[in-house]
């Protein structure tokens, strides 16, 4: 396989192609047609069109690397334990937001190698923005200009500032005792808390933009919802930890559900060790 950094420009272009297909459905007149999958999650034509674009494009780019997508067949998903390196894809993360018309949805693409994400790309179709990260190398935001060229800007997470509000990123669709207990603990051990709600993997983009400090996840999601964001966050100076204090490992269990996790912007601050110990 070619060097990972050289994969980013064609990946940005590929996700842009998928994003344009998604936007075509998003802006089409009439109601979005939704079909329920076996797990009752929604499926739209936009999910499937993006899936096929990404599948074909990734095969052209790295034909020897398997692709595991949310929309892959059950038979294909069952083969995943045979793979050491593979692409992990969510063609449309935030389908509920897409259907609701909030605009808070992303395209997620991660390269998994030996159970960890070594490259991650999140694409925001409506904004025509891409966020790409290589852990240990760097993270960049790519903005598309009027001339069609992509301009890259280096991204880093922000440090916690004593006395300033701690901005917690969360989904407006997910609440529960764990999240409420987390917020109460932070308020008692840090001070002022601000909560910023958004859908899909946008919360990882907000972390690397410095718009938030912490994204705790205690509600169900799948590995393709998390992997690209983890790679991006680690590349920008943050960390993503399970509740055991360790980074999650991918493709090691029978389920594709992701364990609960903490996505942290300021990875070195002692607040997080204290929270995990508590």
């Amino acid at each position: 396989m070619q060097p990972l950094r050289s994969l980013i420009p064609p990946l940005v272009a590929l996700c842009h192609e998928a994003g344009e297909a998604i936007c075509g459905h998003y802006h089409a007149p009439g109601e979005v047609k939704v079909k329920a999958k076996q797990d009752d999650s929604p499926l739209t034509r936009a999910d499937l069109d993006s899936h096929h674009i990404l599948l074909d494009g990734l095969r052209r780019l790295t034909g020897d690397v398997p692709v595991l997508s949310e929309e892959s067949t059950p038979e294909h998903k069952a083969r995943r334990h045979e793979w050491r390196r593979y692409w992990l894809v969510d063609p449309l993360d935030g389908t509920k937001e897409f259907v609701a018309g909030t605009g808070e949805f992303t395209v997620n693409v991660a390269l998994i190698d030996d159970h960890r994400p070594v490259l991650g790309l999140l694409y925001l179709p409506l904004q025509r923005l891409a966020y790409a990260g290589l852990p240990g190398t760097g993270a960049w935001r790519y903005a598309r200009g009027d001339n069609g060229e992509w301009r890259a800007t280096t991204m880093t997470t922000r440090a916690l500032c004593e006395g300033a509000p701690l901005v917690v990123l969360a989904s407006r669709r997910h609440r529960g005792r764990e999240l409420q207990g987390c917020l109460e603990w932070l308020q008692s051990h840090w001070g002022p808390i601000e909560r910023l709600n958004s859908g899909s993997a946008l919360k990882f983009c907000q972390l690397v933009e410095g718009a938030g400090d912490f994204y705790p996840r205690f509600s169900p999601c799948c590995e393709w919802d998390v992997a690209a964001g983890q790679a991006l966050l680690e590349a920008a100076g943050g960390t993503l930890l399970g509740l055991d204090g360790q980074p999650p490992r991918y493709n090691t269990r029978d389920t594709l559900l992701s364990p609960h996790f903490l996505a942290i912007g300021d990875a070195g601050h002692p607040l997080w060790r204290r929270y995990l110990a508590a």
Side-chain angles (χ1 to χ4, degrees):
M1 179 184 283
Q2 56 187 296
L4 295 184
R5 180 70 186 269
S6 68
L7 292 174
I8 292 178
L11 281 176
V12 171
L14 177 60
C15 289
H16 173 67
E17 181 183 354
E20 292 298 284
I22 291 170
C23 289
H25 291 287
Y26 188 75
H27 295 303
E31 292 187 5
V32 177
K33 295 182 179 179
V34 183
K35 183 171 73 173
K37 294 190 285 189
Q38 288 185 341
D39 62 357
D40 289 331
S41 61
L43 177 68
T44 70
R45 187 72 246 175
D47 294 87
L48 294 175
D49 285 356
S50 178
H51 164 75
H52 290 299
I53 290 169
L54 294 170
L55 186 63
D56 292 344
L58 290 171
R59 284 173 174 168
R60 290 193 303 269
L61 185 61
T62 56
D64 59 333
V65 180
V67 180
L68 177 61
S69 166
E70 180 177 5
E71 311 311 335
S72 294
T73 65
E75 295 76 16
H76 188 70
K77 291 176 181 176
R79 296 180 54 198
R80 69 186 186 278
H81 293 302
E82 303 171 9
W83 309 330
R84 185 186 69 84
R85 173 180 282 188
Y86 64 100
W87 292 105
L88 184 58
V89 174
D90 190 340
L92 177 51
D93 183 26
T95 302
K96 290 181 180 178
E97 305 295 338
F98 176 89
V99 174
T102 69
E104 296 175 345
F105 48 84
T106 60
V107 176
N108 305 354
V109 178
L111 180 64
I112 308 297
D113 193 356
D114 196 22
H115 307 295
R116 64 189 183 93
V118 296
L119 184 159
L121 192 148
L122 298 176
Y123 184 75
L124 284 56
L126 294 180
Q127 294 84 357
R128 292 181 173 173
L129 287 175
Y131 293 79
L134 297 172
T137 301
W140 306 271
R141 179 184 61 198
Y142 289 81
R144 183 177 171 87
D146 294 336
N147 59 359
E149 295 183 359
W150 295 92
R151 184 180 62 193
T153 304
T154 301
M155 307 301 295
T156 57
T157 57
R158 71 181 183 185
L160 289 184
C161 181
E162 301 291 336
L166 189 148
V167 179
V168 179
L169 306 171
S171 170
R172 66 175 59 87
R173 298 180 183 274
H174 299 130
R175 292 177 172 84
R177 288 183 300 173
E178 294 94 341
L179 179 58
Q180 185 59 36
C182 173
L183 296 176
E184 290 174 357
W185 188 95
L186 290 172
Q187 196 160 28
S188 65
H189 290 78
W190 176 265
I193 301 292
E194 292 182 2
R195 177 169 169 170
L196 178 61
N197 293 327
S198 61
S200 71
L202 278 171
K203 293 175 278 292
F204 291 108
C205 302
Q206 291 166 334
L207 280 172
V208 302
E209 286 273 16
D213 301 300
F214 182 47
Y215 166 30
R217 180 79 185 207
F218 302 110
S219 53
C221 63
C222 290
E223 292 188 349
W224 46 67
D225 299 313
V226 182
Q230 179 182 347
L232 174 66
L233 179 60
E234 291 176 349
T239 190
L240 189 142
L241 303 174
L243 300 187
D244 60 357
Q246 300 299 316
R249 289 169 56 81
Y250 293 79
N251 202 19
T252 60
R253 304 185 301 156
D254 291 336
T255 179
L256 279 163
L257 289 174
S258 173
H260 296 168
F261 63 81
L262 311 174
I264 297 164
D266 187 351
H269 199 282
L271 176 70
W272 313 118
R273 291 195 299 274
R274 291 162 55 200
Y275 174 75
L276 284 167

